[in-house]
Structures are given as structure tokens and as C-alpha cells.
């Protein structure tokens, strides 16, 4: 059917194409059919929505479609059924537990990016990977396909270093220290980060408090070639675009298939041109990887995948049993990270982890001899060189290089929980801490989050403050208080944990 384009003032997040019920009936089209708009030599795919939003003879396109394709109001186009792509057969093959060939994986990824696969088919693919997994041949093929269907960055400065945490630990603002330490030593480290998916703050959410994080690839190239580093949001770039689409399915299903996680992380490192990659695997109760054996197996997979991609990969298995530092939430974490950079001092867990990871990167990059990296990282931090480099990064990213931690506003609606009894802190539950911070409004409300006053093993007296919730409005604060009372985020016990009598 021929139709004129009507641009709708709406985002559907599912690349929807709207036609009138009369036109749908005449063309024998049904809701959620895959349809194709043909305009000249261009073909634009989307899921069909049948609605009276548009008049007969019109085809409505949502603004998310326009982010990928240029269409003009009133433009005359053809709307036709697209049929089922061949890649659906390959998805079914994986659902039956069969191994996929390289060309089949490439077809699936290409069709995800071109929107030839609908949400239900992408969800089926993600579920098949969760149930049946991928071997290393498939993971390597998926990684390269994801990278090569998007943009690739080529920076003149070499070598290119990178660091990535698989996440799960609240308060993980570590890389905000690692990046300027490594760059201050003369290495190049273009760090792209995500926003929070299930956490209270991704690195991009924290950095955005004091600097812009949204740039084009050309802008990132200029920043990195000028100051040697960046801390930017990867979601604004067309790096491994299939990854951003599959993440939505993972989030909706609350699953994170291991093979897809490996491909997701390493495809973006491959696209950024990273030559030396350090992977941080936090391990402990309440994080993605709970045992050392699981962490070691995952580490071997990252290293093997790196070899197949031509990247040198090392892995640090780190303690993930409780939050890092004393803050959780974008503005609170920004304050803590900037304070540590300015003074060279901070919570032991933050300084220890940041200098440990930075030290490994310094050794990988050849600027520190084996075994001396952590000491060099500490010297760079304590001397103020890391802070000077961070000021350069902030200025290059459009922020105020003279910002002070106390300049950053935090939520002024607060409530402090105190110890109900005297004893020792025997556990801080990561998931509960994250849940409280999110209930308070983080990461969308930058000032929302938690300030912690205790760590595991510390002695407390009845009435001692344990943590303060910060929120930007009373309703969110009340929600967080209710969540905290329900979950017991901090456990306090005496030295005698249980008494068992003689039965």
C-alpha cells in the first residue's frame, strides 16, 4: 500500500509503524506483523501497530524510528509485509540446543540491528542463550558480529588500555579513580561506561554529576588524543548496537546469559580499539559471581576470548561481599570519588581496589615493573597527579575543573537508621542496599542514595548510626524507609550467634 508519512510525537522503544484499521484490513496486516517501509533504495523495518492515531492513507512512525532513519512529514512511501527473516530459523536452532555457525550468528545480529527481528524473537534468542549457552567459537563470532555492525573507534595514541567491572557491588565508583591514575602515568584509556541497569548508579551516572558524558565518536577521539582519557556514556554511541537492544530483553527477563555477557563486554572493547583489557570480577554473596571457582571459570573465558580477538586480557577477582566506600547513589558517589582524588585519601576499600586495579594496568602497559604497579598507582594518587589529570578530563568533557565535592548537591530529605542492639556488623547485604537506594530515587534522582557509617566486622553500640538515606522528595524517602525496614540491610549480632541446648 502507498501511504504518506506522519511523524508521531511519541517514543515506543519497539520501533513501531502505525497504520489505520481500514488500511490494515485491506492489506491483510495484523498487529505486531513485521512490516517494511520502502522509500527509494531504503528499507525501514518495524512492528505494526493498528491504530486510529493515523488516518487512512497515512503511515505513522514513532520518534525512535527517526533516530535510525530519516523520513520527512508527508513523504510518499510503500508499506509492505516483510515476511519472516531467515534468522528466526537460526534462533529456533539454538532453542533446540544446536551449535550455530558463524554466518548464522552474523545473520541474527544483522537482523537485530536492522530491526528485522521483533521483541518476541529477540527475547527468544536471549532465553535460548540462557538455557543452552554458547561455546567459545560462538561467543567469538557473536562478539565480532556485534562490534562490526556498529561504529569502530581509531585513536592515534597507543597502546589503548581499558578496564571493565562486571558489576554487582553497590558504590563501585572505582574506575573514576583508576582512569586518571592510569592516564597520569602516560597511558591512553578511553573509558566508556553504562548507566545503571539494576544498580543504584553506573559509572556514567556518577560522572554525569560533574561533567558531560554524552559525546559522538569524533568528539571522544579529540578528547582522548588531547588528554589521554575519557569517562563517557557508551549508550550514546553506535558501538555494538545489537548489545543495547539485547540488554532490554535481558532486563525484562531478569537474566544475563554468560555467553552474551562476554560478547557484550568484549564487543565494545573491540570496537574501541582496546589492546590491553583488565576485567574486574567482584566475587561474594549478593553479587553476580558468588564463588571463587565461578570467578576463575569466567576469568578463563574472558582471557580465551581476548586471544581470539587479538586483545591481551587479564582478570582481577576482587572482594564483592559489601559496598565499596561509604556511599551509594550518583551525587554521593561523585563526592566520595572526587574527595579521594583531591586528597589522595579515602575509604580503605575504595583506595585499595582502585590502586590495585590501576597498578595491574600500569604493569600491563609497561610503565611499571612487575609487582610495582600498585605502589606506583598509590604514589600517583597521593601526589595529586591523578587529581590534576582528572581536572583535565572534567574540563575536556565540559565540566568545571575547579569543582569541590561539597559543591555537589545531595538529597536533603534524610532518615538515619541506628543500631537496634550492641554487637558486631556481621553482614551488609548488597542487594538490599541497592534496593533502598533505588527506592529513594537513584539513579534518576542524582541526589538520592545511601551514606554508610559501618563496615563488616566493626563493633557498634545500641543507637549508633548505621546509614542515612538521602532522597529528593518525601514520598521517595518514605518508600526507601519501608524497603529498608523490610529487608534488614545490615545485620548486627553478638559473638555468640546461636545457642543449642542438650535435647
Amino acid at each position: 500500500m502507498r501511504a504518506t508519512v506522519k511523524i508521531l510525537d511519541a517514543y515506543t522503544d519497539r520501533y513501531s509503524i502505525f497504520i489505520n484499521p481500514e488500511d490494515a484490513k485491506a492489506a491483510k496486516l495484523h498487529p505486531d506483523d513485521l512490516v517494511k517501509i520502502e522509500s527509494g533504495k531504503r528499507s525501514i523495518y518495524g512492528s505494526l501497530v493498528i491504530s486510529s492515531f493515523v488516518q487512512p492513507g497515512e503511515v505513522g512512525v514513532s520518534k525512535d524510528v527517526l533516530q535510525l532513519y530519516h523520513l520527512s512529514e508527508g513523504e510518499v512511501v510503500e508499506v509492505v509485509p516483510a515476511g519472516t527473516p531467515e534468522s528466526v530459523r537460526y534462533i529456533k536452532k539454538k532453542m533446540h540446543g544446536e551449535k550455530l555457525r558463524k554466518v548464522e550468528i552474523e545473520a541474527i545480529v544483522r537482523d537485530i540491528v536492522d530491526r528485522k527481528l521483533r521483541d518476541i524473537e529477540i527475547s527468544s534468542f536471549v532465553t535460548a542463550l540462557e538455557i543452552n549457552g554458547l561455546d567459545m567459537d560462538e561467543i567469538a563470532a557473536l562478539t565480532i558480529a556485534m562490534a562490526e555492525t556498529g561504529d569502530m573507534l581509531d585513536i592515534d595514541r597507543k597502546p589503548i588500555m581499558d578496564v571493565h567491572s562486571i558489576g554487582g557491588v553497590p558504590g563501585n565508583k572505582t574506575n573514576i579513580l583508576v582512569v586518571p591514575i592510569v592516564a597520569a602515568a602516560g597511558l591512553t584509556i578511553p573509558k566508556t561506561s553504562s548507566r545503571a541497569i539494576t544498580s543504584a548508579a553506573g559509572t556514567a551516572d556518577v560522572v554525569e554529576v560533574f561533567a558531560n558524558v554524552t559525546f559522538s565518536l569524533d568528539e571522544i577521539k579529540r578528547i582522548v588524543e588531547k588528554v589521554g582519557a575519557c569517562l563517557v556514556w557508551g549508550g550514546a554511541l553506535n558501538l555494538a548496537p545489537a548489545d543495547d537492544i539485547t540488554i532490554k530483553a535481558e532486563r525484562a527477563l531478569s537474566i544475563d546469559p554468560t555467553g552474551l555477557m562476554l560478547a557484550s563486554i568484549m564487543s565494545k572493547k573491540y570496537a574501541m580499539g582496546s589492546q590491553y583489557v583488565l576485567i574486574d570480577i567482584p566475587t561474594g554473596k549478593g553479587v553476580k559471581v558468588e564463588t571463587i571457582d565461578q570467578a576463575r571459570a569466567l576469568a578463563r573465558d574472558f582471557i580465551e576470548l581476548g586471544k581470539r580477538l587479538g586483545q591481551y586480557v587479564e582478570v582481577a577477582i576482587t572482594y564483592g561481599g559489601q559496598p565499596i566506600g561509604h556511599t551509594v547513589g550518583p551525587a554521593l558517589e561523585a563526592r566520595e570519588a572526587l574527595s579521594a582524588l583531591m586528597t589522595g585519601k579515602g575509604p580503605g576499600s575504595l583506595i585499595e581496589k582502585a590502586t590495585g586495579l590501576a597498578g595491574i594496568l600500569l604493569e600491563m602497559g609497561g610503565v611499571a615493573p612487575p609487582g610495582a604497579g600498585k605502589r606506583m598507582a598509590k604514589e600517583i594518587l597521593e601526589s595529586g597527579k591523578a587529581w590534576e589529570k582528572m581536572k583535565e578530563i572534567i574540563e575536556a568533557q565540559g565540566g568545571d575543573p575547579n569543582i569541590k565535592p561539597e559543591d555537589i548537591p545531595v538529597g536533603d530529605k534524610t532518615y538515619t537508621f541506628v543500631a537496634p542492639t550492641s554487637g558486631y556488623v556481621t553482614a551488609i547485604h548488597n542487594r538490599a542496599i541497592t534496593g533502598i537506594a533505588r527506592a529513594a530515587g537513584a539513579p534518576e534522582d542524582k541526589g538520592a542514595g545511601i551514606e554508610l557509617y559501618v563496615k563488616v566486622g566493626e563493633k557498634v553500640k545500641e543507637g549508633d548510626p548505621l546509614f542515612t538515606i538521602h532522597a529528593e522528595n518525601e514520598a521517595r524517602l518514605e518508600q526507601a524507609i519501608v524497603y529498608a525496614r523490610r529487608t534488614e540491610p545490615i545485620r548486627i549480632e553478638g559473638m555468640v550467634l546461636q545457642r543449642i541446648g542438650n535435647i
Side-chain angles (χ1 to χ4, degrees):
M1 57 169 275
R2 289 176 70 80
T4 57
V5 172
K6 180 179 181 181
I7 296 171
L8 303 177
D9 188 18
Y11 287 88
T12 65
D13 205 31
R14 53 196 296 266
Y15 295 85
S16 299
I17 293 171
F18 295 73
I19 67 171
N20 186 273
E22 291 179 23
D23 290 337
K25 186 176 180 181
K28 294 184 170 53
L29 293 172
H30 306 93
D32 286 327
D33 277 356
L34 181 69
V35 294
K36 177 169 61 172
I37 294 176
E38 293 180 340
S39 174
K41 294 181 179 180
R42 293 176 299 160
S43 294
I44 299 164
Y45 295 85
S47 294
L48 183 65
V49 177
I50 299 171
S51 170
S52 298
F53 279 151
V54 293
Q55 299 300 313
E58 291 181 335
V59 56
V61 293
S62 52
K63 287 194 172 179
D64 41 326
V65 175
L66 294 180
Q67 289 176 337
L68 289 180
Y69 309 102
H70 177 71
L71 286 169
S72 303
E73 183 84 23
E75 182 178 346
V76 178
V77 296
E78 289 283 340
V79 181
V80 297
T84 302
E86 182 70 9
S87 56
V88 170
R89 189 164 65 84
Y90 307 146
I91 292 171
K92 289 179 181 176
K93 183 177 173 182
K94 177 48 71 175
M95 289 169 72
H96 294 139
E98 297 177 48
K99 179 171 178 172
L100 296 178
R101 294 181 295 129
K102 182 173 179 286
V103 292
E104 294 170 338
I105 290 170
E106 289 170 346
I108 292 170
V109 172
R110 189 167 53 250
D111 285 352
I112 289 173
V113 173
D114 290 344
R115 303 292 170 176
K116 291 182 184 178
L117 290 174
R118 295 164 294 181
D119 290 349
I120 187 68
E121 291 151 348
I122 295 168
S123 296
S124 298
F125 178 57
V126 170
T127 304
L129 300 189
E130 173 73 6
I131 294 169
N132 295 315
L134 295 167
D135 69 16
M136 192 51 68
D137 292 336
E138 292 173 302
I139 295 169
L142 180 60
T143 304
I144 293 170
M146 289 171 78
E148 291 184 345
T149 48
D151 294 333
M152 309 277 279
L153 183 65
D154 182 23
I155 294 172
D156 293 336
R157 296 173 57 144
K158 298 289 188 293
I160 306 294
M161 316 300 293
D162 212 336
V163 60
H164 181 89
S165 173
I166 69 165
V169 186
N172 192 12
K173 73 283 292 176
T174 315
N175 286 334
I176 298 173
L177 278 66
V178 172
V179 168
I181 290 172
V182 171
L187 295 172
T188 303
I189 181 163
K191 179 76 182 94
T192 62
S193 302
S194 63
R195 297 191 187 279
I197 299 173
T198 57
S199 70
T203 300
D205 298 309
V206 178
V207 176
E208 193 174 41
V209 171
F210 54 84
N212 185 18
V213 295
T214 305
F215 297 96
S216 69
L217 270 185
D218 286 342
E219 288 168 332
I220 289 172
K221 182 179 170 75
R222 284 196 295 272
I223 290 168
V224 175
E225 290 180 350
K226 180 181 179 183
V227 301
C230 66
L231 283 156
V232 301
W233 177 42
L237 308 169
N238 190 38
L239 297 175
D243 178 48
D244 297 320
I245 299 167
T246 56
I247 280 174
K248 292 173 185 174
E250 292 176 73
R251 185 186 299 152
L253 295 165
S254 295
I255 58 176
D256 191 11
T258 299
L260 189 54
M261 178 188 70
L262 285 157
S264 167
I265 292 167
M266 296 300 287
S267 62
K268 292 194 172 177
K269 305 306 172 195
Y270 188 81
M272 289 295 287
S274 304
Q275 297 163 293
Y276 297 88
V277 180
L278 175 61
I279 301 294
D280 165 29
I281 304 180
T283 306
K285 192 170 182 181
V287 296
K288 291 179 182 177
V289 180
E290 296 205 340
T291 71
I292 290 290
D293 286 344
Q294 290 174 330
R296 286 175 178 151
L298 186 58
R300 287 192 291 271
D301 286 341
F302 271 113
I303 291 165
E304 174 60 25
L305 181 56
K307 287 178 182 176
R308 294 181 183 226
L309 300 175
Q311 296 169 312
Y312 179 77
V313 176
E314 288 196 22
V315 176
I317 298 173
T318 57
Y319 174 65
Q322 63 178 326
I324 297 166
H326 295 298
T327 58
V328 179
L332 289 162
E333 291 187 45
R335 278 186 168 191
E336 189 171 53
L338 293 182
S339 176
L341 284 165
M342 286 181 72
T343 64
K345 299 174 184 176
S349 56
L350 175 60
I351 301 299
E352 184 72 15
K353 182 169 182 177
T355 55
L357 295 177
I360 295 171
L361 284 163
L362 297 179
E363 293 176 24
M364 290 170 69
V367 296
K374 185 175 181 180
R375 185 173 66 251
M376 182 177 178
K378 280 191 171 181
E379 288 171 358
I380 291 170
L381 179 63
E382 291 171 357
S383 68
K385 291 177 183 175
W387 174 235
E388 289 305 314
K389 178 55 69 175
M390 188 61 173
K391 287 165 70 175
E392 292 178 24
I393 296 169
I394 292 171
E395 186 170 26
Q397 292 186 202
D400 178 7
N402 298 312
I403 190 170
K404 295 180 175 60
E406 58 269 24
D407 295 338
I408 297 171
V410 298
D412 60 354
K413 308 297 185 288
T414 63
Y415 185 90
T416 299
F417 279 78
V418 299
T421 184
S422 298
Y424 292 85
V425 177
T426 58
I428 299 179
H429 299 291
N430 285 328
R431 289 194 181 101
I433 293 294
T434 296
I436 295 165
R438 287 181 69 89
E444 289 81 9
D445 296 345
K446 298 293 188 188
I450 293 177
E451 194 168 1
L452 291 159
Y453 305 120
V454 295
K455 287 286 188 176
V456 171
E458 291 183 7
K459 186 176 182 179
V460 296
K461 294 177 183 176
E462 183 179 344
D464 283 353
L466 299 177
F467 63 94
T468 295
I469 301 172
H470 289 259
E472 294 185 359
N473 63 69
E474 294 287 354
R476 284 288 203 172
L477 178 63
E478 189 58 37
Q479 287 177 21
I481 292 169
V482 170
Y483 191 101
R485 285 177 175 154
R486 238 182 25 216
T487 53
E488 192 196 22
I490 298 177
R491 182 179 299 161
I492 298 167
E493 297 175 300
M495 291 307 290
V496 178
L497 299 181
Q498 190 174 10
R499 177 180 174 178
I500 301 173
N502 186 350
I503 299 172

